[in-house]
Amino acid sequence: MAIACSLVAAASIAIGAMAQDILPALDQAAREAMAQTGAKGLAIAVIDNGQVSAVRAYGVRNARGEPLAPDTVMYGASLTKAVFGYLVIQLAAEGRIDLDRPIAELLPDPLPSYGNVDAYGHWGDLVSDERWRSITPRMALNHSTGFANFAFLEPDGRLRIHFDPGTRYAYSGEGIMLLQFGLERGLGIDVEQELQRRFFGPLGMTRTSLKWQAAFADNLADGWDADGKIEPHDERSRVRAAGSMDTTIADMARMAAYMVRGDGLPPERQAIYPEATLPITTRQQFPTLLPDASESDRPQARAGLGVIGFTGPQGPGWYKGGHNDTTANTLVCLQTSRRCVLILSNDVRAERAFPKLVRSVLGETGVPYRWEYPDLPDE
């Protein structure tokens, strides 16, 4: 397979000195990763000292063999949660919400009284469990609400709280949707409009949205699953903070640089890592609601506000993954040096190469890869 490799043409994304030094090795690592995993498309961005330093795209975006490019629209998946978390941090810094005040207090009516709300959640299922009253924005963002990932994964399809909120980590898109519901119904904030106003518009992220845009269709990535079967890109018609974002590698690189710089935040909140305070006690992230592991099997990581914090040989850092049957994404940032690697792939098979690809740019970081991807091959 011929591999297309292109750079961002926009003058706002330059090739920095650090990137010039590592680009040959990165290109080689990307080509090796695609050959070893069979992945059809891969896009990588490098952030150095809080600035986008390089953006690369390799491979193809669809079955016709059209090249994946830096401005190709790709599925952001759960990277959406990290962007949403940054919005919530800004709202907290402005005093518009309190991270530790219950979401229920934002709403004019008791949560279960809203019933099972299309596109949000089955809040009516919680009528017999008063623990919904204690769930806070922090718990939603650090995945300690007690919900399963989604209610449709429950045996009976009903939303329930499995443990006292705030006491442990269990990944939950339902918790993120509860917080979105609180912001939109309680504070009157349109999450998509707010993201466009604060981030996407000012940063020039013209091909990023939590809702499908017809203009995306001219340069769009389809996806490949674990068996090499291609699936068309899903045109998501609803804004879902848990994971509906479409973006490009060039756009999301700008957002990652903004986040690692701490832009739009007062000094005391400019590092996301200090907000990572909830110890993670499971051996792996999925399936969610796993029992606690022994101390020796737990990752050295903590859940934060939409991201996972860790400490490694280069100091504190944070990261977030994004995944579905045909999508593999990761963002890894080192807070002190403000260096990041962002990887988007329209082929889920690329995940197996993520640790090596990140190391080819950042070196050893301390990311708990085995917790995130327990089926990684031995190196």
Side-chain angles (χ1 to χ4, degrees), residues 10 12-13 50-52 83 86 90 195-208 250-259 261 263:
S12 60
I13 299 184
Q51 300 297 323
V52 178
V83 175
Y86 204 86
Q90 284 196 350
L195 291 172
Q196 292 287 350
R197 183 181 72 83
R198 289 174 182 260
F199 308 143
F200 304 161
L203 294 175
M205 299 169 64
T206 59
R207 293 175 66 78
T208 299
D251 277 6
M252 189 60 201
R254 295 183 179 100
M255 186 70 216
Y258 181 93
M259 293 168 68
R261 291 194 305 265
D263 283 1

PDB file of all heavy atoms in Angstrom, residues 10 12-13 50-52 83 86 90 195-208 250-259 261 263:
ATOM      1  N   ALA A  10      -1.350  25.397   6.276  1.00  0.00           N
ATOM      2  CA  ALA A  10      -1.659  26.683   6.900  1.00  0.00           C
ATOM      3  C   ALA A  10      -0.425  27.289   7.555  1.00  0.00           C
ATOM      4  O   ALA A  10       0.326  26.606   8.248  1.00  0.00           O
ATOM      5  CB  ALA A  10      -2.757  26.508   7.937  1.00  0.00           C
ATOM      6  N   SER A  12      -0.231  29.110  10.014  1.00  0.00           N
ATOM      7  CA  SER A  12      -0.316  29.168  11.469  1.00  0.00           C
ATOM      8  C   SER A  12       0.287  27.937  12.134  1.00  0.00           C
ATOM      9  O   SER A  12       0.509  27.935  13.333  1.00  0.00           O
ATOM     10  CB  SER A  12      -1.781  29.307  11.908  1.00  0.00           C
ATOM     11  OG  SER A  12      -2.537  28.195  11.453  1.00  0.00           O
ATOM     12  N   ILE A  13       0.528  26.874  11.367  1.00  0.00           N
ATOM     13  CA  ILE A  13       1.148  25.684  11.926  1.00  0.00           C
ATOM     14  C   ILE A  13       2.524  25.533  11.299  1.00  0.00           C
ATOM     15  O   ILE A  13       2.659  25.103  10.156  1.00  0.00           O
ATOM     16  CB  ILE A  13       0.297  24.430  11.689  1.00  0.00           C
ATOM     17  CG1 ILE A  13      -1.063  24.592  12.371  1.00  0.00           C
ATOM     18  CG2 ILE A  13       1.002  23.195  12.201  1.00  0.00           C
ATOM     19  CD1 ILE A  13      -1.942  23.385  12.285  1.00  0.00           C
ATOM     20  N   GLY A  50       4.095  24.099  24.216  1.00  0.00           N
ATOM     21  CA  GLY A  50       2.765  24.677  24.106  1.00  0.00           C
ATOM     22  C   GLY A  50       2.399  25.192  22.735  1.00  0.00           C
ATOM     23  O   GLY A  50       1.369  25.857  22.589  1.00  0.00           O
ATOM     24  N   GLN A  51       3.188  24.875  21.721  1.00  0.00           N
ATOM     25  CA  GLN A  51       2.895  25.335  20.364  1.00  0.00           C
ATOM     26  C   GLN A  51       2.846  24.138  19.416  1.00  0.00           C
ATOM     27  O   GLN A  51       3.651  23.203  19.550  1.00  0.00           O
ATOM     28  CB  GLN A  51       3.962  26.324  19.877  1.00  0.00           C
ATOM     29  CG  GLN A  51       4.091  27.571  20.738  1.00  0.00           C
ATOM     30  CD  GLN A  51       2.839  28.422  20.759  1.00  0.00           C
ATOM     31  OE1 GLN A  51       2.164  28.550  19.741  1.00  0.00           O
ATOM     32  NE2 GLN A  51       2.538  29.019  21.905  1.00  0.00           N
ATOM     33  N   VAL A  52       1.910  24.180  18.471  1.00  0.00           N
ATOM     34  CA  VAL A  52       1.849  23.127  17.469  1.00  0.00           C
ATOM     35  C   VAL A  52       3.115  23.191  16.629  1.00  0.00           C
ATOM     36  O   VAL A  52       3.420  24.212  16.014  1.00  0.00           O
ATOM     37  CB  VAL A  52       0.606  23.265  16.578  1.00  0.00           C
ATOM     38  CG1 VAL A  52       0.598  22.170  15.512  1.00  0.00           C
ATOM     39  CG2 VAL A  52      -0.667  23.202  17.409  1.00  0.00           C
ATOM     40  N   VAL A  83     -12.150  17.825  25.929  1.00  0.00           N
ATOM     41  CA  VAL A  83     -12.503  19.189  25.516  1.00  0.00           C
ATOM     42  C   VAL A  83     -13.647  19.716  26.370  1.00  0.00           C
ATOM     43  O   VAL A  83     -13.627  20.866  26.837  1.00  0.00           O
ATOM     44  CB  VAL A  83     -12.859  19.212  24.023  1.00  0.00           C
ATOM     45  CG1 VAL A  83     -13.338  20.595  23.594  1.00  0.00           C
ATOM     46  CG2 VAL A  83     -11.664  18.783  23.173  1.00  0.00           C
ATOM     47  N   TYR A  86     -12.443  20.708  29.749  1.00  0.00           N
ATOM     48  CA  TYR A  86     -11.767  22.003  29.783  1.00  0.00           C
ATOM     49  C   TYR A  86     -12.783  23.144  29.815  1.00  0.00           C
ATOM     50  O   TYR A  86     -12.578  24.152  30.496  1.00  0.00           O
ATOM     51  CB  TYR A  86     -10.838  22.152  28.577  1.00  0.00           C
ATOM     52  CG  TYR A  86      -9.711  23.126  28.812  1.00  0.00           C
ATOM     53  CD1 TYR A  86      -8.525  22.717  29.411  1.00  0.00           C
ATOM     54  CD2 TYR A  86      -9.833  24.470  28.458  1.00  0.00           C
ATOM     55  CE1 TYR A  86      -7.490  23.616  29.648  1.00  0.00           C
ATOM     56  CE2 TYR A  86      -8.803  25.365  28.683  1.00  0.00           C
ATOM     57  CZ  TYR A  86      -7.636  24.932  29.273  1.00  0.00           C
ATOM     58  OH  TYR A  86      -6.618  25.825  29.508  1.00  0.00           O
ATOM     59  N   GLN A  90     -13.174  26.000  32.842  1.00  0.00           N
ATOM     60  CA  GLN A  90     -13.307  27.445  32.630  1.00  0.00           C
ATOM     61  C   GLN A  90     -14.552  27.989  33.317  1.00  0.00           C
ATOM     62  O   GLN A  90     -14.504  29.054  33.946  1.00  0.00           O
ATOM     63  CB  GLN A  90     -13.336  27.762  31.137  1.00  0.00           C
ATOM     64  CG  GLN A  90     -11.980  27.680  30.462  1.00  0.00           C
ATOM     65  CD  GLN A  90     -11.963  28.356  29.109  1.00  0.00           C
ATOM     66  OE1 GLN A  90     -12.987  28.740  28.547  1.00  0.00           O
ATOM     67  NE2 GLN A  90     -10.764  28.508  28.547  1.00  0.00           N
ATOM     68  N   LEU A 195     -18.693  25.802  23.034  1.00  0.00           N
ATOM     69  CA  LEU A 195     -17.412  25.304  22.544  1.00  0.00           C
ATOM     70  C   LEU A 195     -16.969  26.066  21.301  1.00  0.00           C
ATOM     71  O   LEU A 195     -15.783  26.389  21.147  1.00  0.00           O
ATOM     72  CB  LEU A 195     -17.504  23.813  22.244  1.00  0.00           C
ATOM     73  CG  LEU A 195     -17.664  22.896  23.455  1.00  0.00           C
ATOM     74  CD1 LEU A 195     -17.945  21.470  22.999  1.00  0.00           C
ATOM     75  CD2 LEU A 195     -16.437  22.919  24.349  1.00  0.00           C
ATOM     76  N   GLN A 196     -17.905  26.364  20.425  1.00  0.00           N
ATOM     77  CA  GLN A 196     -17.559  27.141  19.239  1.00  0.00           C
ATOM     78  C   GLN A 196     -17.107  28.546  19.631  1.00  0.00           C
ATOM     79  O   GLN A 196     -16.126  29.073  19.089  1.00  0.00           O
ATOM     80  CB  GLN A 196     -18.766  27.220  18.289  1.00  0.00           C
ATOM     81  CG  GLN A 196     -19.161  25.905  17.647  1.00  0.00           C
ATOM     82  CD  GLN A 196     -18.203  25.436  16.568  1.00  0.00           C
ATOM     83  OE1 GLN A 196     -17.314  26.166  16.142  1.00  0.00           O
ATOM     84  NE2 GLN A 196     -18.368  24.195  16.124  1.00  0.00           N
ATOM     85  N   ARG A 197     -17.774  29.158  20.586  1.00  0.00           N
ATOM     86  CA  ARG A 197     -17.457  30.536  20.983  1.00  0.00           C
ATOM     87  C   ARG A 197     -16.123  30.632  21.702  1.00  0.00           C
ATOM     88  O   ARG A 197     -15.328  31.546  21.436  1.00  0.00           O
ATOM     89  CB  ARG A 197     -18.570  31.075  21.885  1.00  0.00           C
ATOM     90  CG  ARG A 197     -18.381  32.523  22.309  1.00  0.00           C
ATOM     91  CD  ARG A 197     -19.492  32.984  23.224  1.00  0.00           C
ATOM     92  NE  ARG A 197     -19.398  32.401  24.546  1.00  0.00           N
ATOM     93  CZ  ARG A 197     -18.627  32.874  25.527  1.00  0.00           C
ATOM     94  NH1 ARG A 197     -17.849  33.936  25.304  1.00  0.00           N
ATOM     95  NH2 ARG A 197     -18.621  32.317  26.714  1.00  0.00           N
ATOM     96  N   ARG A 198     -15.857  29.677  22.583  1.00  0.00           N
ATOM     97  CA  ARG A 198     -14.645  29.761  23.405  1.00  0.00           C
ATOM     98  C   ARG A 198     -13.410  29.186  22.714  1.00  0.00           C
ATOM     99  O   ARG A 198     -12.309  29.731  22.865  1.00  0.00           O
ATOM    100  CB  ARG A 198     -14.860  29.003  24.721  1.00  0.00           C
ATOM    101  CG  ARG A 198     -15.804  29.667  25.694  1.00  0.00           C
ATOM    102  CD  ARG A 198     -16.044  28.764  26.884  1.00  0.00           C
ATOM    103  NE  ARG A 198     -16.986  29.342  27.830  1.00  0.00           N
ATOM    104  CZ  ARG A 198     -16.641  29.956  28.957  1.00  0.00           C
ATOM    105  NH1 ARG A 198     -15.355  30.050  29.292  1.00  0.00           N
ATOM    106  NH2 ARG A 198     -17.549  30.451  29.772  1.00  0.00           N
ATOM    107  N   PHE A 199     -13.587  28.083  22.010  1.00  0.00           N
ATOM    108  CA  PHE A 199     -12.434  27.343  21.508  1.00  0.00           C
ATOM    109  C   PHE A 199     -12.394  27.248  19.988  1.00  0.00           C
ATOM    110  O   PHE A 199     -11.454  27.739  19.357  1.00  0.00           O
ATOM    111  CB  PHE A 199     -12.421  25.913  22.093  1.00  0.00           C
ATOM    112  CG  PHE A 199     -12.541  25.832  23.580  1.00  0.00           C
ATOM    113  CD1 PHE A 199     -13.272  24.819  24.178  1.00  0.00           C
ATOM    114  CD2 PHE A 199     -11.907  26.749  24.406  1.00  0.00           C
ATOM    115  CE1 PHE A 199     -13.378  24.720  25.551  1.00  0.00           C
ATOM    116  CE2 PHE A 199     -12.008  26.674  25.786  1.00  0.00           C
ATOM    117  CZ  PHE A 199     -12.752  25.651  26.358  1.00  0.00           C
ATOM    118  N   PHE A 200     -13.386  26.593  19.420  1.00  0.00           N
ATOM    119  CA  PHE A 200     -13.300  26.228  18.013  1.00  0.00           C
ATOM    120  C   PHE A 200     -13.203  27.447  17.100  1.00  0.00           C
ATOM    121  O   PHE A 200     -12.369  27.470  16.184  1.00  0.00           O
ATOM    122  CB  PHE A 200     -14.491  25.367  17.607  1.00  0.00           C
ATOM    123  CG  PHE A 200     -14.677  24.116  18.426  1.00  0.00           C
ATOM    124  CD1 PHE A 200     -15.904  23.456  18.437  1.00  0.00           C
ATOM    125  CD2 PHE A 200     -13.646  23.575  19.179  1.00  0.00           C
ATOM    126  CE1 PHE A 200     -16.098  22.301  19.181  1.00  0.00           C
ATOM    127  CE2 PHE A 200     -13.817  22.424  19.941  1.00  0.00           C
ATOM    128  CZ  PHE A 200     -15.060  21.791  19.943  1.00  0.00           C
ATOM    129  N   GLY A 201     -14.015  28.465  17.345  1.00  0.00           N
ATOM    130  CA  GLY A 201     -13.953  29.668  16.526  1.00  0.00           C
ATOM    131  C   GLY A 201     -12.649  30.437  16.685  1.00  0.00           C
ATOM    132  O   GLY A 201     -11.923  30.665  15.703  1.00  0.00           O
ATOM    133  N   PRO A 202     -12.291  30.857  17.908  1.00  0.00           N
ATOM    134  CA  PRO A 202     -11.065  31.635  18.101  1.00  0.00           C
ATOM    135  C   PRO A 202      -9.791  30.910  17.676  1.00  0.00           C
ATOM    136  O   PRO A 202      -8.832  31.544  17.233  1.00  0.00           O
ATOM    137  CB  PRO A 202     -11.062  31.914  19.608  1.00  0.00           C
ATOM    138  CG  PRO A 202     -12.495  31.864  20.006  1.00  0.00           C
ATOM    139  CD  PRO A 202     -13.106  30.805  19.142  1.00  0.00           C
ATOM    140  N   LEU A 203      -9.761  29.588  17.801  1.00  0.00           N
ATOM    141  CA  LEU A 203      -8.568  28.831  17.453  1.00  0.00           C
ATOM    142  C   LEU A 203      -8.511  28.454  15.975  1.00  0.00           C
ATOM    143  O   LEU A 203      -7.552  27.816  15.530  1.00  0.00           O
ATOM    144  CB  LEU A 203      -8.473  27.560  18.303  1.00  0.00           C
ATOM    145  CG  LEU A 203      -8.245  27.775  19.804  1.00  0.00           C
ATOM    146  CD1 LEU A 203      -8.300  26.446  20.545  1.00  0.00           C
ATOM    147  CD2 LEU A 203      -6.917  28.468  20.064  1.00  0.00           C
ATOM    148  N   GLY A 204      -9.517  28.835  15.220  1.00  0.00           N
ATOM    149  CA  GLY A 204      -9.525  28.510  13.799  1.00  0.00           C
ATOM    150  C   GLY A 204      -9.826  27.052  13.522  1.00  0.00           C
ATOM    151  O   GLY A 204      -9.420  26.519  12.478  1.00  0.00           O
ATOM    152  N   MET A 205     -10.561  26.409  14.426  1.00  0.00           N
ATOM    153  CA  MET A 205     -10.924  25.003  14.266  1.00  0.00           C
ATOM    154  C   MET A 205     -12.202  24.915  13.425  1.00  0.00           C
ATOM    155  O   MET A 205     -13.277  24.557  13.913  1.00  0.00           O
ATOM    156  CB  MET A 205     -11.084  24.353  15.641  1.00  0.00           C
ATOM    157  CG  MET A 205      -9.809  24.374  16.473  1.00  0.00           C
ATOM    158  SD  MET A 205     -10.054  23.890  18.213  1.00  0.00           S
ATOM    159  CE  MET A 205     -10.594  22.178  18.046  1.00  0.00           C
ATOM    160  N   THR A 206     -12.068  25.224  12.157  1.00  0.00           N
ATOM    161  CA  THR A 206     -13.233  25.393  11.287  1.00  0.00           C
ATOM    162  C   THR A 206     -13.889  24.069  10.903  1.00  0.00           C
ATOM    163  O   THR A 206     -15.016  24.084  10.375  1.00  0.00           O
ATOM    164  CB  THR A 206     -12.839  26.146  10.011  1.00  0.00           C
ATOM    165  OG1 THR A 206     -11.811  25.400   9.327  1.00  0.00           O
ATOM    166  CG2 THR A 206     -12.309  27.534  10.338  1.00  0.00           C
ATOM    167  N   ARG A 207     -13.214  22.963  11.133  1.00  0.00           N
ATOM    168  CA  ARG A 207     -13.770  21.656  10.770  1.00  0.00           C
ATOM    169  C   ARG A 207     -13.946  20.784  12.010  1.00  0.00           C
ATOM    170  O   ARG A 207     -13.701  19.571  11.991  1.00  0.00           O
ATOM    171  CB  ARG A 207     -12.886  20.973   9.720  1.00  0.00           C
ATOM    172  CG  ARG A 207     -12.925  21.721   8.391  1.00  0.00           C
ATOM    173  CD  ARG A 207     -11.975  21.170   7.352  1.00  0.00           C
ATOM    174  NE  ARG A 207     -12.299  19.835   6.883  1.00  0.00           N
ATOM    175  CZ  ARG A 207     -13.251  19.544   6.005  1.00  0.00           C
ATOM    176  NH1 ARG A 207     -14.021  20.518   5.503  1.00  0.00           N
ATOM    177  NH2 ARG A 207     -13.469  18.297   5.605  1.00  0.00           N
ATOM    178  N   THR A 208     -14.382  21.426  13.105  1.00  0.00           N
ATOM    179  CA  THR A 208     -14.634  20.730  14.357  1.00  0.00           C
ATOM    180  C   THR A 208     -16.010  21.086  14.881  1.00  0.00           C
ATOM    181  O   THR A 208     -16.385  22.262  14.920  1.00  0.00           O
ATOM    182  CB  THR A 208     -13.576  21.092  15.416  1.00  0.00           C
ATOM    183  OG1 THR A 208     -12.285  20.691  14.943  1.00  0.00           O
ATOM    184  CG2 THR A 208     -13.862  20.395  16.739  1.00  0.00           C
ATOM    185  N   ALA A 250      -5.296  18.681  12.420  1.00  0.00           N
ATOM    186  CA  ALA A 250      -4.826  20.062  12.523  1.00  0.00           C
ATOM    187  C   ALA A 250      -5.631  20.843  13.544  1.00  0.00           C
ATOM    188  O   ALA A 250      -5.075  21.597  14.354  1.00  0.00           O
ATOM    189  CB  ALA A 250      -4.896  20.737  11.151  1.00  0.00           C
ATOM    190  N   ASP A 251      -6.959  20.671  13.533  1.00  0.00           N
ATOM    191  CA  ASP A 251      -7.810  21.379  14.487  1.00  0.00           C
ATOM    192  C   ASP A 251      -7.536  20.924  15.913  1.00  0.00           C
ATOM    193  O   ASP A 251      -7.337  21.740  16.829  1.00  0.00           O
ATOM    194  CB  ASP A 251      -9.285  21.134  14.161  1.00  0.00           C
ATOM    195  CG  ASP A 251      -9.830  22.040  13.071  1.00  0.00           C
ATOM    196  OD1 ASP A 251      -9.042  22.795  12.461  1.00  0.00           O
ATOM    197  OD2 ASP A 251     -11.052  21.989  12.824  1.00  0.00           O
ATOM    198  N   MET A 252      -7.547  19.620  16.133  1.00  0.00           N
ATOM    199  CA  MET A 252      -7.406  19.111  17.501  1.00  0.00           C
ATOM    200  C   MET A 252      -6.025  19.404  18.055  1.00  0.00           C
ATOM    201  O   MET A 252      -5.862  19.567  19.273  1.00  0.00           O
ATOM    202  CB  MET A 252      -7.708  17.610  17.528  1.00  0.00           C
ATOM    203  CG  MET A 252      -7.804  17.041  18.946  1.00  0.00           C
ATOM    204  SD  MET A 252      -9.108  17.801  19.946  1.00  0.00           S
ATOM    205  CE  MET A 252      -8.504  17.406  21.605  1.00  0.00           C
ATOM    206  N   ALA A 253      -5.030  19.523  17.198  1.00  0.00           N
ATOM    207  CA  ALA A 253      -3.697  19.912  17.671  1.00  0.00           C
ATOM    208  C   ALA A 253      -3.731  21.305  18.273  1.00  0.00           C
ATOM    209  O   ALA A 253      -3.073  21.573  19.287  1.00  0.00           O
ATOM    210  CB  ALA A 253      -2.696  19.851  16.523  1.00  0.00           C
ATOM    211  N   ARG A 254      -4.469  22.201  17.653  1.00  0.00           N
ATOM    212  CA  ARG A 254      -4.598  23.562  18.209  1.00  0.00           C
ATOM    213  C   ARG A 254      -5.263  23.519  19.585  1.00  0.00           C
ATOM    214  O   ARG A 254      -4.864  24.241  20.509  1.00  0.00           O
ATOM    215  CB  ARG A 254      -5.407  24.436  17.254  1.00  0.00           C
ATOM    216  CG  ARG A 254      -4.750  24.685  15.898  1.00  0.00           C
ATOM    217  CD  ARG A 254      -5.611  25.631  15.055  1.00  0.00           C
ATOM    218  NE  ARG A 254      -4.995  25.899  13.762  1.00  0.00           N
ATOM    219  CZ  ARG A 254      -5.334  25.305  12.625  1.00  0.00           C
ATOM    220  NH1 ARG A 254      -6.304  24.398  12.625  1.00  0.00           N
ATOM    221  NH2 ARG A 254      -4.736  25.603  11.491  1.00  0.00           N
ATOM    222  N   MET A 255      -6.283  22.682  19.728  1.00  0.00           N
ATOM    223  CA  MET A 255      -6.968  22.570  21.007  1.00  0.00           C
ATOM    224  C   MET A 255      -6.051  21.975  22.059  1.00  0.00           C
ATOM    225  O   MET A 255      -6.015  22.428  23.206  1.00  0.00           O
ATOM    226  CB  MET A 255      -8.216  21.691  20.847  1.00  0.00           C
ATOM    227  CG  MET A 255      -9.097  21.622  22.081  1.00  0.00           C
ATOM    228  SD  MET A 255      -9.956  23.180  22.397  1.00  0.00           S
ATOM    229  CE  MET A 255      -9.954  23.216  24.204  1.00  0.00           C
ATOM    230  N   ALA A 256      -5.269  20.961  21.689  1.00  0.00           N
ATOM    231  CA  ALA A 256      -4.346  20.338  22.637  1.00  0.00           C
ATOM    232  C   ALA A 256      -3.304  21.337  23.115  1.00  0.00           C
ATOM    233  O   ALA A 256      -2.965  21.388  24.314  1.00  0.00           O
ATOM    234  CB  ALA A 256      -3.671  19.129  21.996  1.00  0.00           C
ATOM    235  N   ALA A 257      -2.784  22.154  22.206  1.00  0.00           N
ATOM    236  CA  ALA A 257      -1.796  23.164  22.591  1.00  0.00           C
ATOM    237  C   ALA A 257      -2.410  24.187  23.533  1.00  0.00           C
ATOM    238  O   ALA A 257      -1.782  24.608  24.522  1.00  0.00           O
ATOM    239  CB  ALA A 257      -1.246  23.843  21.342  1.00  0.00           C
ATOM    240  N   TYR A 258      -3.626  24.596  23.254  1.00  0.00           N
ATOM    241  CA  TYR A 258      -4.353  25.533  24.117  1.00  0.00           C
ATOM    242  C   TYR A 258      -4.496  24.956  25.526  1.00  0.00           C
ATOM    243  O   TYR A 258      -4.282  25.641  26.531  1.00  0.00           O
ATOM    244  CB  TYR A 258      -5.714  25.785  23.481  1.00  0.00           C
ATOM    245  CG  TYR A 258      -6.633  26.739  24.191  1.00  0.00           C
ATOM    246  CD1 TYR A 258      -6.661  28.098  23.860  1.00  0.00           C
ATOM    247  CD2 TYR A 258      -7.526  26.292  25.165  1.00  0.00           C
ATOM    248  CE1 TYR A 258      -7.543  28.971  24.491  1.00  0.00           C
ATOM    249  CE2 TYR A 258      -8.405  27.150  25.798  1.00  0.00           C
ATOM    250  CZ  TYR A 258      -8.405  28.494  25.450  1.00  0.00           C
ATOM    251  OH  TYR A 258      -9.295  29.367  26.081  1.00  0.00           O
ATOM    252  N   MET A 259      -4.836  23.676  25.598  1.00  0.00           N
ATOM    253  CA  MET A 259      -5.046  23.037  26.897  1.00  0.00           C
ATOM    254  C   MET A 259      -3.748  22.896  27.678  1.00  0.00           C
ATOM    255  O   MET A 259      -3.715  23.169  28.884  1.00  0.00           O
ATOM    256  CB  MET A 259      -5.704  21.673  26.692  1.00  0.00           C
ATOM    257  CG  MET A 259      -7.124  21.744  26.160  1.00  0.00           C
ATOM    258  SD  MET A 259      -7.770  20.140  25.610  1.00  0.00           S
ATOM    259  CE  MET A 259      -7.908  19.274  27.171  1.00  0.00           C
ATOM    260  N   ARG A 261      -1.148  24.656  27.495  1.00  0.00           N
ATOM    261  CA  ARG A 261      -0.705  25.992  27.936  1.00  0.00           C
ATOM    262  C   ARG A 261      -1.536  26.508  29.104  1.00  0.00           C
ATOM    263  O   ARG A 261      -1.133  27.453  29.783  1.00  0.00           O
ATOM    264  CB  ARG A 261      -0.805  26.994  26.785  1.00  0.00           C
ATOM    265  CG  ARG A 261       0.171  26.785  25.649  1.00  0.00           C
ATOM    266  CD  ARG A 261       0.224  28.008  24.740  1.00  0.00           C
ATOM    267  NE  ARG A 261      -1.056  28.418  24.205  1.00  0.00           N
ATOM    268  CZ  ARG A 261      -1.542  28.059  23.013  1.00  0.00           C
ATOM    269  NH1 ARG A 261      -0.833  27.244  22.239  1.00  0.00           N
ATOM    270  NH2 ARG A 261      -2.715  28.492  22.597  1.00  0.00           N
ATOM    271  N   ASP A 263      -4.465  27.983  28.656  1.00  0.00           N
ATOM    272  CA  ASP A 263      -5.065  29.241  28.202  1.00  0.00           C
ATOM    273  C   ASP A 263      -6.505  29.372  28.701  1.00  0.00           C
ATOM    274  O   ASP A 263      -7.227  28.384  28.863  1.00  0.00           O
ATOM    275  CB  ASP A 263      -5.060  29.312  26.676  1.00  0.00           C
ATOM    276  CG  ASP A 263      -3.697  29.656  26.107  1.00  0.00           C
ATOM    277  OD1 ASP A 263      -2.748  29.823  26.907  1.00  0.00           O
ATOM    278  OD2 ASP A 263      -3.581  29.750  24.871  1.00  0.00           O
TER     279      ASP A 263
END
